[in-house]
């Protein structure tokens, strides 16, 4: 009987640890996504703020 209680307690602890680890992973992915979106917005702002010379851009080599 005591062995069964120990097994159930160990399983509950393991499941709780896995759930916490999964929550941390999801939070990290959300943060990484937010950072990527911010970097994209900053890149767009930089491109939009760039001015094109009146004569255009010479792309000939």
């Amino acid at each position: 009987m005591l062995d069964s209680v120990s097994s159930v307690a160990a399983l509950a602890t393991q499941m709780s640890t896995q759930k916490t680890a999964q929550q941390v992973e999801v939070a990290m992915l959300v943060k990484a996504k937010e950072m990527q979106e911010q970097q994209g917005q900053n890149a767009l702002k930089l491109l939009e703020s760039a001015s094109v010379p009146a004569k255009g851009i010479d792309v000939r080599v």
Side-chain angles (χ1 to χ4, degrees):
M1 175 86 177
L2 186 58
D3 209 21
S4 296
V5 171
S6 274
S7 296
V8 170
L11 179 62
T13 301
Q14 181 183 10
M15 289 175 64
S16 177
T17 302
Q18 287 175 345
K19 181 179 178 183
T20 301
Q22 185 180 26
Q23 289 171 336
V24 168
E25 289 174 7
V26 169
M28 289 175 59
L29 287 171
V30 167
K31 186 64 177 175
K33 180 179 176 254
E34 289 172 356
M35 288 174 59
Q36 252 186 340
E37 288 174 351
Q38 184 64 43
Q39 288 174 347
Q41 290 173 1
N42 290 341
L44 284 175
K45 286 179 186 175
L46 182 62
L47 289 171
E48 290 169 351
S49 70
S51 61
V52 178
K55 294 181 181 181
I57 299 172
D58 185 4
V59 292
R60 293 176 283 165
V61 180

